[in-house]
Amino acid sequence: MADVDCCVVGAGFAGLAAALRLKQAGRSLALLEARDRVGGRTFTEVLDDGTWIDRGGAWIGPGQDRIKALMAEFGAEEYKEYVDGDAMMILDGKQHRYSGTIPWAMSPWAIANLGAGLLEVELMCKTIPFDAPWEAKKAVEWDRISLGEWINRHMRSKQAREMLDMALAGIYTSAGSEVSLLWALHQMGSGGGPGFVISNKGGAQDARVRGGMGAVYGPMAAELGGALHLSQPVHLIAHDDDGVTVHAESLTVRARQAIVAVPLAVASQIVYEPVLPVDRMFLHQRMPSGAVFKISVVYDTAFWRADGLCGQSAAPGSPATLTIDACTDTGTPGIMCVITEGPAARRLGLLDATERKAVVIGELIDRFGRKAASPVSYHEQNWTVERYSGGGMISHAPPGVLTEFGPALRAPCGRIHWAGTESSAIMCGWIDGAVRSGERAAAEVLAAESVAAA
Amino acid sequence: MADVDCCVVGAGFAGLAAALRLKQAGRSLALLEARDRVGGRTFTEVLDDGTWIDRGGAWIGPGQDRIKALMAEFGAEEYKEYVDGDAMMILDGKQHRYSGTIPWAMSPWAIANLGAGLLEVELMCKTIPFDAPWEAKKAVEWDRISLGEWINRHMRSKQAREMLDMALAGIYTSAGSEVSLLWALHQMGSGGGPGFVISNKGGAQDARVRGGMGAVYGPMAAELGGALHLSQPVHLIAHDDDGVTVHAESLTVRARQAIVAVPLAVASQIVYEPVLPVDRMFLHQRMPSGAVFKISVVYDTAFWRADGLCGQSAAPGSPATLTIDACTDTGTPGIMCVITEGPAARRLGLLDATERKAVVIGELIDRFGRKAASPVSYHEQNWTVERYSGGGMISHAPPGVLTEFGPALRAPCGRIHWAGTESSAIMCGWIDGAVRSGERAAAEVLAAESVAAA
């Protein structure tokens, strides 16, 4: 049995950041990871020719200072997302190219409706105290209904409704009817609002990391050396007044404190003895993950660029709901990323792998022409069925949960501390939020030591 | 390793009924129960003097034909709930006695508002096809909002709002904001509507079983003999084209088919290999349990009866939200049952046991006089922290879940079948629904055998 100052469960960015900061503070630790790799909901694959593919979280943007600090620490550099050329929108089966942020293909009424809706969401976001969204003036009112209900009430135009549902509910990789309006406002607002969420340049898809996210999590893991234990799913966490005993696959760790840094649906599969305080236990039952495919299609060249397209397209409800240019910083080879979320991803998942590939490539041919028919390689990541993510992309709070159980997102339970991007008050749901949550949990652990010593 | 026709997981009424029907059909089976007792969310305690206390589900009513069939099979008899005398309602700290079903203590405006609300809910319930609530004409609209939102929109009177929230949202032992309106309509409607739900005489609290529910589940368990294995929590269910292998604490069972008959939050703690179909896996993440205390206070006599009270009282938000006479059929000793649900139960759970008892007895003294100060014994059941129930009382669907994932409630996943009262189209959420779900799953298993043999 290993005996350490702190045991960290989960080696996604939250757990890695927590462990790194504790190690830098001179603490002994064990970092237990269920998978045979680190990175959690980020996952960089490096092809034989050195091309990297981010099969999970990939983009960074302004204000995401903590992931940028880690990049600086390990010498990873950013490069800007490719935004030259037109974007494309598919409405009722018809393609429309547009430039700028306003999709002129929509009817004037739909554009007005969509613009007013986005503005209203932006303004609502600004009223949320992000460290305590349950204290927003309208928290109770907004937490009683779903994001889907709000969209339906306020978007009278069918085109605007479908577009807003795709852009906003899509984030939660679940139906809009499942997601609390208050949670959505909190999550989007914690990054700056829907404008930030949906934007490339200057927004959440502003840039990527040269070498992929692995260029950050790889060196972090290396820094942790022997403290990192892969393929060690945790079954049981026993906790008492003196410490914590973490039982993993073939390793038992005794620690003065623990940090659990996994998605809520995964935390719910661990047994805690004694049982956790009710609000935390219930939170584990109440914040599900969603369905999402992230598919990277590699071509000889980014041929769409030559056609004046940036590679971004949106087709609400289609099997390839969103596409975005995902080339490395050199622009070669061409990498087109397809992201399909929520109900559409569940439908796509019912096809067998061959059918699914045919359908996805078919969509790319429709949008980008015959050249899309000949990929060099096809890389499909179905986060939906990733047991140790609980699904994709982030956990969401259904109606009622944030006002009833919100404080339990971060409140330590004795010697157990909680990390994970969903617990971050800033950049909640992004990689940066994961880093912040890990650093916050590490600070909690150090502060608790001081209290114990005093 | 045991080798049987069917392995049933969970020995509540659903699992017991499934196992019993399969045994009666001549099948070999293993029934695995995590606890050291059967009964699940029912639990009869028998005191030294023979008095029985139902610490969990206890009441039965008209239309609950399958639990009544089991009672007849095992010679268990019913007796009527005591309804003579006045009920009591506590509004804004003041007590009001009333008789009949209309709480005249409320303002005329509140009574009218409450009556209209109940009628509207009753009418909405009637539009739900209970075997497929997601196909109701207004399913999408009703599933986008919470029951709490509906109550808030339609109950303009504060008194009516609090009363309806207690009466309807209380069922789900969670905040009304957490529960889908569609789920509530489906669940209540599956028993006949809110009138049935809240009524004693002729309703869901019409009668009880002489000897308690244990007088039914006890003989059922005895009938199963060596097939029943207690203290065998199931960790893993591996399934393939040929059969199912169920891994429990110290027993592994190979079976041609399996029936999982546990609440959704408990089913979510079992690992399935290979991973379940996405919709079922996601349903496991999405139907939480709630918080509920059921406290039975035993007195020498049912002294409230002599005072012209039936023992029923309602005090929205108080630590003893509901009280109800829970005497045995002889009426002696006096047993007063206190039920506290949802947020109030979570608050009550924060007190230590001594404080909690003092608070609860204090409430009973306020309502029923000084005689309430001297109980013979006090029996507290906190279902909230019952690991193998996942909480109390029943699982609920948050907004969006029933329309997105509803069919997965019952659809078998290969050789794994699903039981549990939440999966019943009739009397969903009651003991009768549990029995129906078990019998339905047993019939599925037998039908699948015929298909395999053909």
Side-chain angles (χ1 to χ4, degrees):
Chain A
M1 167 147 45
D3 202 333
V4 294
D5 290 325
C6 188
C7 180
V8 181
V9 178
F13 265 99
L16 285 167
L20 183 70
R21 297 311 177 208
L22 287 171
K23 181 164 195 279
Q24 289 169 338
R27 297 306 181 278
S28 63
L29 55 95
L31 171 57
L32 306 181
E33 167 57 44
R35 293 180 168 105
D36 60 0
R37 64 170 184 85
V38 302
R41 290 173 278 181
T42 65
F43 178 16
T44 303
E45 178 183 8
V46 181
L47 306 183
D48 288 343
D49 66 357
T51 300
W52 68 85
I53 292 172
D54 272 315
R55 300 175 69 108
W59 283 271
I60 54 176
Q64 300 191 335
D65 300 334
R66 297 314 304 161
I67 181 66
K68 291 190 179 183
L70 279 174
M71 289 166 59
E73 235 170 301
F74 293 101
E77 292 176 337
E78 73 167 43
Y79 65 99
K80 295 294 179 183
E81 172 67 19
Y82 185 81
V83 291
D84 297 338
D86 293 346
M88 190 186 290
M89 180 169 288
I90 289 89
L91 293 169
D92 303 320
K94 276 196 194 143
Q95 289 174 13
H96 307 272
R97 287 172 71 142
Y98 67 98
S99 59
T101 54
I102 299 171
W104 294 111
M106 299 171 77
S107 74
W109 159 234
I111 291 175
N113 197 196
L114 184 61
L118 280 169
L119 179 61
E120 192 167 345
V121 173
E122 199 90 42
L123 294 174
M124 290 192 292
C125 283
K126 289 199 194 308
T127 70
I128 311 268
F130 295 109
D131 52 349
W134 46 88
E135 288 175 2
K137 198 175 159 203
K138 294 198 171 180
V140 170
E141 181 184 332
W142 290 342
D143 206 28
R144 272 199 310 257
I145 66 168
S146 61
L147 173 61
E149 171 72 6
W150 190 90
I151 291 173
N152 199 67
R153 273 190 211 166
H154 291 81
M155 296 289 101
R156 291 298 170 192
S157 147
K158 175 174 169 287
Q159 286 185 345
R161 193 163 58 239
E162 288 179 0
M163 208 45 79
L164 206 61
D165 181 72
M166 181 196 68
L168 302 191
I171 303 166
Y172 309 104
T173 59
S174 294
S177 56
E178 289 190 66
V179 179
S180 157
L181 174 61
L182 181 66
W183 170 261
L185 296 173
H186 160 62
Q187 189 277 324
M188 289 189 283
S190 79
F196 177 81
V197 170
I198 65 179
S199 294
N200 295 359
K201 191 170 179 180
Q205 289 74 236
D206 182 69
R208 303 184 49 162
V209 178
R210 190 172 291 162
M213 293 312 307
V216 191
Y217 69 64
M220 290 173 82
E223 184 86 7
L224 292 165
L228 170 65
H229 303 272
L230 297 176
S231 304
Q232 291 290 346
V234 168
H235 305 303
L236 168 67
I237 300 180
H239 53 116
D240 55 50
D241 288 347
D242 299 324
V244 179
T245 307
V246 181
H247 299 262
E249 188 71 15
S250 64
L251 192 67
T252 301
V253 178
R254 178 69 183 174
R256 292 167 67 194
Q257 299 185 75
I259 295 173
V260 177
V262 298
L264 281 294
V266 178
S268 80
Q269 296 222 302
I270 298 172
V271 176
Y272 304 85
E273 282 183 0
V275 69
L276 292 174
V278 169
D279 281 15
R280 180 71 201 189
M281 176 180 72
F282 275 9
L283 197 67
H284 286 183
Q285 292 183 5
R286 281 162 167 78
M287 288 193 61
S289 300
V292 58
F293 277 93
K294 187 173 185 192
I295 299 168
S296 304
V297 190
V298 180
Y299 295 98
D300 285 327
T301 64
F303 56 86
W304 52 90
R305 295 185 180 183
D307 296 335
L309 290 165
C310 68
Q312 194 185 325
S313 70
S318 99
T321 318
L322 296 167
T323 69
I324 184 166
D325 182 304
C327 296
T328 69
D329 57 321
T330 65
T332 307
I335 307 179
M336 179 59 77
C337 175
V338 174
I339 300 173
T340 304
E341 300 161 327
R346 280 163 41 224
R347 288 193 297 273
L348 192 59
L350 296 176
L351 304 180
D352 71 32
T354 311
E355 289 175 306
R356 186 161 53 243
K357 181 176 174 183
V359 164
V360 168
I361 298 291
E363 289 281 336
L364 295 181
I365 295 170
D366 283 350
R367 292 178 212 175
F368 301 107
R370 289 304 308 168
K371 288 177 186 156
S374 310
V376 178
S377 59
Y378 176 93
H379 309 259
E380 179 184 287
Q381 185 74 23
N382 183 5
W383 288 100
T384 321
V385 295
E386 285 275 326
R387 178 174 160 197
Y388 294 118
S389 294
M393 194 154 36
I394 59 169
S395 316
H396 69 264
V401 172
L402 207 49
T403 43
E404 288 294 321
F405 304 97
L409 265 170
R410 273 194 297 278
C413 299
R415 290 169 174 273
I416 305 177
H417 304 264
W418 308 101
T421 188
E422 291 85 356
S423 73
S424 184
I426 299 172
M427 293 291 170
C428 171
W430 284 281
I431 299 166
D432 183 70
V435 174
R436 288 172 192 268
S437 76
E439 293 181 332
R440 187 253 314 143
E444 276 176 19
V445 164
L446 297 175
E449 281 178 4
S450 311
V451 171
Chain B
M1 167 145 48
D3 202 332
V4 294
D5 291 324
C6 186
C7 180
V8 181
V9 178
F13 265 99
L16 285 167
L20 182 71
R21 297 312 177 208
L22 288 170
K23 180 163 194 279
Q24 289 169 338
R27 298 307 181 278
S28 63
L29 56 96
L31 172 57
L32 307 181
E33 167 57 43
R35 293 182 170 103
D36 60 1
R37 64 170 184 85
V38 302
R41 289 174 278 182
T42 64
F43 178 17
T44 303
E45 178 183 7
V46 181
L47 306 183
D48 287 343
D49 65 357
T51 300
W52 69 84
I53 291 172
D54 271 316
R55 299 175 69 107
W59 282 271
I60 55 175
Q64 299 191 337
D65 300 334
R66 296 315 304 161
I67 181 64
K68 292 189 179 185
L70 279 175
M71 288 166 61
E73 238 172 299
F74 292 102
E77 293 177 337
E78 73 167 42
Y79 65 101
K80 294 295 178 180
E81 172 66 18
Y82 185 81
V83 291
D84 298 338
D86 293 346
M88 191 186 288
M89 178 169 283
I90 290 89
L91 292 170
D92 302 319
K94 278 197 194 142
Q95 290 174 12
H96 307 272
R97 287 172 70 144
Y98 67 99
S99 60
T101 53
I102 300 171
W104 294 110
M106 298 173 78
S107 75
W109 159 236
I111 291 175
N113 197 195
L114 184 61
L118 280 169
L119 179 61
E120 192 167 345
V121 173
E122 199 88 42
L123 294 174
M124 290 193 292
C125 282
K126 289 200 194 312
T127 69
I128 311 270
F130 295 109
D131 52 349
W134 47 88
E135 289 176 0
K137 197 174 159 202
K138 294 197 172 179
V140 170
E141 180 183 333
W142 290 342
D143 206 28
R144 272 200 310 256
I145 65 167
S146 61
L147 173 60
E149 171 72 5
W150 190 90
I151 290 173
N152 199 67
R153 272 191 212 167
H154 291 81
M155 297 288 101
R156 289 301 170 190
S157 148
K158 176 174 167 288
Q159 287 185 346
R161 193 162 59 239
E162 287 179 0
M163 209 44 79
L164 206 62
D165 181 73
M166 182 196 67
L168 303 191
I171 303 166
Y172 309 104
T173 59
S174 294
S177 56
E178 290 190 66
V179 179
S180 157
L181 174 62
L182 181 66
W183 170 260
L185 296 173
H186 160 62
Q187 189 277 324
M188 290 189 282
S190 78
F196 177 81
V197 170
I198 66 178
S199 296
N200 295 359
K201 193 171 177 178
Q205 289 74 237
D206 182 67
R208 304 184 48 164
V209 178
R210 190 171 291 162
M213 294 312 305
V216 191
Y217 69 64
M220 291 173 81
E223 185 88 7
L224 293 164
L228 171 64
H229 304 271
L230 297 176
S231 304
Q232 291 290 345
V234 168
H235 306 302
L236 169 67
I237 300 180
H239 51 116
D240 55 51
D241 288 347
D242 299 325
V244 179
T245 306
V246 181
H247 299 261
E249 188 70 15
S250 63
L251 192 67
T252 300
V253 177
R254 179 68 183 175
R256 294 167 67 193
Q257 300 184 75
I259 295 173
V260 177
V262 298
L264 281 294
V266 178
S268 80
Q269 295 222 303
I270 298 171
V271 175
Y272 304 84
E273 281 183 1
V275 70
L276 293 175
V278 168
D279 281 14
R280 179 74 202 187
M281 177 181 71
F282 275 9
L283 197 67
H284 285 183
Q285 292 183 4
R286 282 163 165 76
M287 288 191 64
S289 300
V292 59
F293 277 94
K294 188 175 184 191
I295 298 169
S296 305
V297 190
V298 181
Y299 295 97
D300 284 328
T301 63
F303 57 85
W304 52 90
R305 294 186 181 181
D307 297 334
L309 290 165
C310 69
Q312 195 184 324
S313 70
S318 98
T321 318
L322 296 167
T323 69
I324 184 167
D325 184 306
C327 296
T328 69
D329 57 321
T330 65
T332 307
I335 306 177
M336 179 59 76
C337 176
V338 174
I339 300 173
T340 304
E341 300 161 327
R346 279 161 44 223
R347 287 192 297 273
L348 192 60
L350 296 176
L351 304 181
D352 71 32
T354 312
E355 287 176 307
R356 186 160 53 241
K357 182 177 172 184
V359 164
V360 169
I361 298 291
E363 289 282 336
L364 294 182
I365 295 170
D366 283 349
R367 290 177 215 177
F368 302 107
R370 289 302 310 167
K371 288 176 186 157
S374 309
V376 177
S377 60
Y378 176 93
H379 308 259
E380 179 183 287
Q381 185 74 25
N382 184 4
W383 289 100
T384 319
V385 294
E386 285 275 327
R387 178 173 162 200
Y388 295 117
S389 293
M393 193 153 37
I394 60 170
S395 316
H396 69 264
V401 172
L402 207 49
T403 43
E404 287 294 319
F405 304 97
L409 265 170
R410 274 194 297 280
C413 299
R415 290 171 175 270
I416 304 177
H417 305 264
W418 308 100
T421 188
E422 290 85 356
S423 72
S424 185
I426 300 173
M427 293 291 168
C428 170
W430 283 280
I431 299 166
D432 184 69
V435 174
R436 287 173 193 269
S437 77
E439 293 181 333
R440 187 254 312 142
E444 277 176 20
V445 164
L446 297 175
E449 282 178 2
S450 311
V451 171

